[in-house]
Amino acid sequence: MGQDCSDLAEKVSARLQSGGRLTVLTGAGISAESGVATFRDLGGLWEQYRVEDLASPEGFARNPGVVYDFYNMRRAQLKRIEPNPGHRALAALERQLGAGFTLVTQNVDDLHERAGSQRVLHMHGELRKARCQACGAIQVWPGDLDALSHCGQCKAQSLRPHIVWFGEMPLYMEEQIPASLDAEIFMSIGTSGQVYPAAGFVGLARANGALTLEINLMTAEHSQQFQHSIYGKAGEVLPRLLAEITALL
Ligand code: OAD
């Protein structure tokens, strides 16, 4: 990772030692090495499928069966994948930093949790949950979901994937995420910076005086807003960088 990485580890650990908090935002790139397709890389999901058909309320209203099938396929895939060293490094950092650490993810897979992360703010929802359109109940739903599935709370046959679609308000945006952007360090991992409000988080964190760092395979849409960037695979960069940081604490 080079000398600049050690310098960066020193800067981050110095802020942590003086009580600074660390907020991490992850995107599809952190799950790529676990075999989960990203959205906008070559061969990504949005190259194979139409976003407006599968990730919008209008698409769901137009053809719910196609949308149920798409998320059933992605949910079933969860059984065949494992967390990678990047997920595990973040879980270890959470254990070390405790309340000073916040993990926000755009991802809907359960790999952060399966790696040991305890507090994960899934701002775009979760594949393993269903939401009732009648009573609003959110419930764990590990298997296939369809129009006949019954809500565990009100029994209505009105369940949808607990996924935030385009045009819908992401979760945790009232207080938890805004509060987390007041941290002294903001680290973005594996996101192309093309979807708001997540893509705007670096600007908010920076305006609050945070040290901002991006880990990505290549420069992304918003890379120039970060004071520091490390290019490489998250599963390789994170374990080394976070070990360097925690060794200085
Ligand atoms: P994208 O597919 O847009 O971007 C993936 C990012 O991960 C790119 O910047 C890649 O360079 C990077 N990447 C790929 N492999 C990596 C690796 N091994 N290590 C580090 N970085 C890697 O995915 P997101 O930015 O997460 O939302 O997409 C954001 C949102 O758009 C998703 O949450 C989803 C999608 O539409 C909704 O559907 C609402």
Side-chain angles (χ1 to χ4, degrees):
M1 267 186 306
Q3 184 49 32
D4 60 328
C5 191
S6 300
D7 295 345
L8 190 51
E10 278 170 28
K11 287 190 176 82
V12 170
S13 58
R15 288 193 175 216
L16 293 172
Q17 279 166 327
S18 54
R21 292 154 299 158
L22 167 63
T23 292
V24 170
L25 169 70
T26 60
I30 197 168
S31 295
E33 290 155 83
S34 296
V36 183
T38 62
F39 293 94
R40 297 174 183 84
D41 289 324
L42 211 57
L45 283 177
W46 296 152
E47 261 187 31
Q48 305 168 51
Y49 301 96
R50 282 163 41 93
V51 180
E52 51 278 18
D53 291 344
L54 295 169
S56 76
E58 298 76 13
F60 183 61
R62 202 168 39 244
N63 192 335
V66 165
V67 176
Y68 282 123
D69 290 348
F70 176 64
Y71 291 98
N72 288 343
M73 174 270 289
R74 292 178 65 195
R75 191 176 309 106
Q77 185 199 30
L78 295 179
K79 301 185 184 77
R80 299 192 295 275
I81 58 173
E82 295 296 328
N84 66 57
H87 296 107
R88 284 197 286 275
L90 288 176
L93 190 62
E94 179 190 64
R95 286 191 293 273
Q96 172 110 16
L97 300 183
F101 177 89
T102 303
L103 175 57
V104 180
T105 187
Q106 299 172 90
N107 299 343
V108 294
D109 63 54
D110 60 349
L111 293 173
H112 281 305
E113 290 84 352
R114 287 167 57 197
S117 291
Q118 300 294 309
R119 289 174 289 113
V120 186
L121 300 180
H122 281 275
M123 63 183 291
H124 290 164
E126 298 175 67
L127 273 175
R128 287 178 49 80
K129 289 181 179 168
R131 186 194 315 166
C132 180
Q133 298 171 96
C135 72
I138 293 167
Q139 48 223 282
V140 174
W141 199 276
D144 282 355
L145 187 64
D146 61 34
L148 301 179
S149 302
H150 289 272
C151 170
Q153 191 90 8
C154 72
K155 308 304 175 209
Q157 289 177 301
S158 60
L159 291 176
R160 60 166 272 184
H162 180 49
I163 299 288
V164 176
W165 287 324
F166 284 99
E168 297 182 326
M169 174 55 93
L171 308 172
Y172 307 107
M173 286 302 292
E174 300 76 30
E175 51 192 79
Q176 282 127 304
I177 290 180
S180 77
L181 298 177
D182 197 22
E184 284 64 34
I185 305 140
F186 176 74
M187 188 186 293
S188 172
I189 304 162
T191 180
S192 63
Q194 297 190 41
V195 177
Y196 285 81
F201 290 174
V202 56
L204 296 171
R206 196 161 175 180
N208 290 331
L211 180 152
T212 55
L213 157 67
E214 178 193 27
I215 295 172
N216 202 316
L217 266 191
M218 60 193 80
T219 53
E221 187 90 2
H222 59 343
S223 290
Q224 76 288 351
Q225 295 185 52
F226 292 89
Q227 290 134 323
H228 305 280
S229 296
I230 301 177
Y231 295 116
K233 290 183 174 182
E236 295 168 8
V237 169
L238 271 176
R240 292 210 303 266
L241 173 66
L242 301 190
E244 283 204 38
I245 291 169
T246 50
L248 296 168
L249 293 181

